[in-house]
Every structure is written in structure tokens, then in C-alpha cells.
Amino acid sequence: MSKRTIKDYDNISIEAQNLTGPLDFADIFGRIAQVHIEIGSGKGTFLLSEATHRPNADFLGIEWARKYYRHAVDRIGRWGLTNVRIIRTDVAAFLPGHVPDESISCFHIYFPDPWPKKRHHKRRFVCTGNIEQIIRCLKPGGVVNIATDHQEYFAAITRVIDMQVSLGRLEQIDFIRAAGAEPAEVVGTNYERKYIKAGRPVYTIAARKL
Ligand SMILES: C[S@@+](CC[C@H](N)C(=O)[O-])C[C@H]1O[C@@H](n2cnc3c(N)ncnc32)[C@H](O)[C@@H]1O
């Protein structure tokens, strides 16, 4: 069986090496609308579904792995979605350099790499420094929505969020299910589907910027 050719779509991908300074989302999407960022968008399943269900919002996926990034660009391009862009870059460096203050309505962080070994915990994305960046980028009232299958990482994420709640920067809210999630799912990403099949629980947490 021949493999389908993965195509590039210049209208979907944003070239990280061409970026200088903060992004202008109105220019990128050609309109003023709510902007959502998905961190670690993998093969783009959430972006595809959510952007289809929410045509009035704009979505930026950030993905480091070239293979997943190319797959996601190909899928979004073939579907002809105009409200999604994807960038291949390291999110921890991208946020401080390129996302303006109070510009984002929602951050979606689904099944971030858990780095289970203690000596690797410092590589986890959800940590105090990165949550402070997320808070800086969120509009007042904006939301960060997180799901993971990893119980110990979830406890660490909860501590990071709780600290920001105690500082009066965030308030905890109910997790917002994705518009296209199936009844047993919370978001319907590839990893969630894999973990549901394996019978693993999914933990969720969400918070709103005060
Ligand atoms: C466990 S996968 C989850 C993918 C998808 N969110 C899902 O639920 O199916 C984590 C994803 O985050 C990406 N990732 C990890 N570190 C990253 C970083 N520093 N910047 C951008 N993406 C990153 C990985 O390449 C991978 O695709």
C-alpha cells in the first residue's frame, strides 16, 4: 500500500526562524478574534476538531517534533481550515519572545510529556516559570486548561496552579471539555484516546486569570 505524501501548506505553518519580536495575531489570521494556543499539539487532532467547531476563534498550535508538526500542517491544510496556524518551536522559548502581554484567551495543555524520572522533572513544561509566562500572555478572564494521565505530574501541576491562586493571580474553575470530545473523553486527542483504551485515568485542572 503506498503511503500518502505529506504536503506543506505555507498558509498554515509559521516559520520560527523568520520571527522577530511579538506576533501580531490580527495580521496572522486576518481578523480580530479570540486567540487560543495549544502547547504540544502533536498530530493536530484537537486543533482540527476544535477549530471546526469554533470557527469564530483562532488557534495556534506549538509543536517541537518535526514529524508531528508536518503531519498536523498537512491535516489542517487538507481540511482547508483558515483559523489555525502551527509553529514548530520550543514553547518555553517562544512564549517570552513572541507572545504579547494579555493577547491570549485560552491555553490548552493536553498530555504534556510527564518526564517521570525525578532527575528529569526540571524538563516538565508545567512549572512556576512557565505558568507565570502563561499568566502574562492571558487576557484578564482568560483560561488555562490542562489534562494529563500522570498522577504524580498532576499533583505537581496542581501545586503550581494553587500557588498562583494563593497569590491572587488565578482562580480555579471547572475544566472546559472540548467541543468535539466523545462522551467518554475530555478533549479527544490522540494520547487521550490511547490512554482510555489502556484503561488509564485522566486528570484535569483549569484556572482563570483574575
Ligand atoms: C505526550 S505528547 C501529547 C500530544 C497531544 N497533545 C495529545 O494529547 O495527543 C506531547 C507533545 O508535546 C510536544 N512537546 C514536548 N516538548 C515541547 C516543547 N518544548 N515545545 C513544543 N512542543 C513540545 C511533543 O513533541 C509531543 O508532541
Side-chain angles (χ1 to χ4, degrees), residues 91-143:
V91 64
F94 175 77
L95 294 182
H98 301 296
V99 180
D101 295 354
E102 303 196 346
S103 59
I104 304 301
S105 294
C106 188
F107 279 92
H108 303 267
I109 309 176
Y110 302 135
F111 305 92
D113 291 332
W115 295 106
K117 290 183 183 155
K118 197 160 186 198
R119 70 176 185 278
H120 292 154
H121 284 184
K122 56 183 177 296
R123 299 185 190 175
R124 288 174 167 174
F125 175 74
V126 184
C127 62
T128 297
N130 288 335
I131 284 291
E132 284 175 355
Q133 273 301 316
I134 281 180
I135 293 170
R136 177 190 66 76
C137 299
L138 279 174
K139 294 183 172 191
V143 166

Side-chain angles (χ1 to χ4, degrees), residues 38 40 42 62-65 68 89-91 110-111 113 189-191:
E38 187 188 11
I62 305 173
E63 174 52 52
W64 175 246
Y68 293 152
T89 192
D90 173 7
V91 64
Y110 302 135
F111 305 92
D113 291 332
T189 64
N190 290 21
Y191 271 76

Side-chain angles (χ1 to χ4, degrees), residues 4-23:
R4 196 174 53 75
T5 310
I6 298 278
K7 275 179 66 180
D8 286 329
Y9 288 84
D10 291 346
N11 55 330
I12 303 297
S13 46
I14 295 176
E15 293 297 328
Q17 64 271 23
N18 296 342
L19 296 182
T20 52
L23 296 181

Side-chain angles (χ1 to χ4, degrees), residues 23-32 58 85:
L23 296 181
D24 178 345
F25 290 113
D27 184 51
I28 289 170
F29 290 101
R31 64 176 182 175
I32 293 174
D58 291 328
R85 300 290 182 278

